[in-house]
Amino acid sequence: MTTMHTRIRRSMLLLLLLPPLLRRCHGYNYNASQGPLVTAVIVFGDSIVDPGNNNDLATLIKANHPPGLGVKQLLPAYLGAELSPEDLRTGVSFASGATGFDPLTPVVVSVISLEQQLRYFDEYRGKLVSVAGEEETARIIDGALFVVCAGTDDVANTYFTTPFRSVEYDIPSYVDLLVSGAEDFLRKVSSRGARKIGFVGMPPVGCVPSQRTLGGGLTRQCEEKRNQAAQLYNARIQDMIHRLNNGDSGTLVVYLDIYRILDDLMERGEKYGFAETTRGCCGTGTIEVTGLCDARFVSVCDDVSQHVFFDSYHPTERAYRIIVNDIFDNYMDVLV
């Protein structure tokens, strides 16, 4: 079981990203008279945007505590709870921690594949029709922002941590596999009515605490092969998105670069007031993640705001705030 702190951390991107989208804002100030920026937010992906879909799965990758801080969970998990008509109208997350574009990735850790997430979306659409009608459902889907956030687990876990893919693919060919999977997924999302999709790029994988521990040697330096894989993936993803946008699908895909801001947080953390950039807040900070961050069994740092990472893989609330602000500063005009 994960701790309350872990659950807050793992849903924080959604908690911070959604309020400005589901209500009209000007300079992040609420202006109710102008209505919402989007009709709904619909999310596919991995642990960064999983608010609890893994909870009933036979997997160690969980997000099974309600968010704290007095913040209402605006984007619920599709699975594990009864969704109200308003939940259905404003969108849900189908994301599953530790999944990826490589079809092997979710199999290794027994989580929900992206293909299954699409099937859940089809089921969700049927439920939305039952409460809103076909015409209103079409309007909601047409005006919704879709978010896709996956790929990091493919590189960090399936390729570099397990032996299954590295023996048959070099890094460029594995990146091609991921980009092909991402393109196929985006085409399927588009065919289901999505008109605007935010696609989250890959962070500097080699610099997150767990990958420093696994591949960075005794001094836990950033592991450059992982970072090079992430950079190659991001470049080829952007080329693929450019091709899609030049097609006739009627869907705009917006690439959201998080590599740059996360690299800055990790390499120049003192500029943002962070004292610790290479270790997570829980346990030793070097390898613990999800269930290994249960405060009943391991220590948690006294001042999480000083850390870029909560565990060995996911940022803290303060780091997420900086990331989300960067997304809004750079992409708001095209996201909505």
Side-chain angles (χ1 to χ4, degrees):
M1 176 180 287
T2 55
T3 68
M4 175 76 76
H5 294 289
T6 305
R7 179 60 182 84
I8 291 169
R9 182 263 308 151
R10 297 185 69 203
S11 65
M12 192 54 61
L13 187 63
L14 293 178
L15 289 170
L16 296 174
L17 182 63
L18 288 171
L21 291 171
L22 291 177
R23 61 194 188 196
R24 177 69 64 176
C25 63
H26 176 69
Y28 308 130
N29 293 319
Y30 180 47
N31 186 342
S33 65
Q34 297 182 43
L37 290 168
V38 296
T39 55
V41 180
I42 297 169
V43 176
F44 303 95
D46 57 22
S47 64
I48 298 298
V49 285
D50 175 8
N53 286 301
N54 280 12
N55 292 349
D56 293 330
L57 302 182
T59 179
L60 294 175
I61 314 301
K62 305 279 189 180
N64 55 3
H65 278 270
L69 307 179
V71 180
K72 183 181 186 297
Q73 182 177 324
L74 293 178
L75 195 74
Y78 180 66
L79 302 177
E82 184 175 348
L83 298 173
S84 70
E86 184 64 16
D87 289 331
L88 295 172
R89 288 173 181 273
T90 55
V92 297
S93 173
F94 304 98
S96 175
T99 200
F101 293 116
D102 181 345
L104 180 62
T105 297
V107 174
V108 171
V109 285
S110 302
V111 297
I112 303 166
S113 69
L114 287 164
E115 283 295 318
Q116 180 61 52
Q117 291 183 35
L118 285 173
R119 289 192 286 272
Y120 284 139
F121 171 80
D122 294 337
E123 185 178 274
Y124 155 81
R125 191 186 190 284
K127 293 179 180 179
L128 184 55
V129 169
S130 70
V131 301
E134 186 62 55
E135 184 176 340
E136 177 65 4
T137 293
R139 185 192 72 84
I140 291 170
I141 298 300
D142 187 76
L145 172 65
F146 288 71
V147 178
V148 177
C149 179
T152 304
D153 288 288
D154 296 310
V155 170
N157 299 332
T158 307
Y159 190 83
F160 282 104
T161 303
T162 73
F164 304 118
R165 291 304 199 194
S166 58
V167 295
E168 55 179 324
Y169 293 94
D170 60 13
I171 290 174
S173 60
Y174 188 65
V175 166
D176 286 342
L177 174 72
L178 300 184
V179 174
S180 176
E183 179 174 2
D184 180 65
F185 186 77
L186 288 172
R187 290 186 183 278
K188 288 176 178 177
V189 173
S190 175
S191 72
R192 285 163 166 81
R195 291 296 163 257
K196 190 161 289 187
I197 304 171
F199 187 98
V200 181
M202 198 176 293
V205 180
C207 293
V208 304
S210 65
Q211 303 307 299
R212 287 175 180 267
T213 301
L214 294 172
L218 293 177
T219 58
R220 299 183 65 251
Q221 298 298 307
C222 291
E223 203 290 302
E224 287 308 313
K225 285 186 178 179
R226 289 163 168 82
N227 282 350
Q228 289 165 8
Q231 291 167 349
L232 181 61
Y233 169 88
N234 288 339
R236 292 187 178 176
I237 281 288
Q238 290 177 78
D239 289 341
M240 179 269 288
I241 287 175
H242 181 72
R243 292 195 307 272
L244 287 181
N245 286 337
N246 285 336
D248 57 1
S249 68
T251 300
L252 174 66
V253 183
V254 179
Y255 174 78
L256 308 179
D257 175 22
I258 63 169
Y259 192 104
R260 171 188 45 79
I261 183 63
L262 268 170
D263 182 62
D264 208 41
L265 288 176
M266 289 185 281
E267 295 301 308
R268 288 162 288 279
E270 69 283 351
K271 181 174 76 172
Y272 300 90
F274 291 108
E276 177 54 70
T277 63
T278 71
R279 294 174 184 266
C281 175
C282 79
T284 66
T286 60
I287 200 67
E288 296 89 353
V289 70
T290 65
L292 296 177
C293 277
D294 193 324
R296 296 174 301 173
F297 310 117
V298 300
S299 62
V300 177
C301 66
D302 292 332
D303 188 358
V304 67
S305 69
Q306 293 296 303
H307 288 246
V308 171
F309 289 93
F310 180 80
D311 59 17
S312 70
Y313 199 84
H314 303 89
T316 59
E317 175 185 349
R318 194 159 80 81
Y320 269 131
R321 288 188 183 277
I322 295 169
I323 295 164
V324 168
N325 285 340
D326 187 79
I327 290 173
F328 272 88
D329 288 343
N330 288 284
Y331 304 106
M332 175 62 85
D333 289 345
V334 289
L335 270 176
V336 296

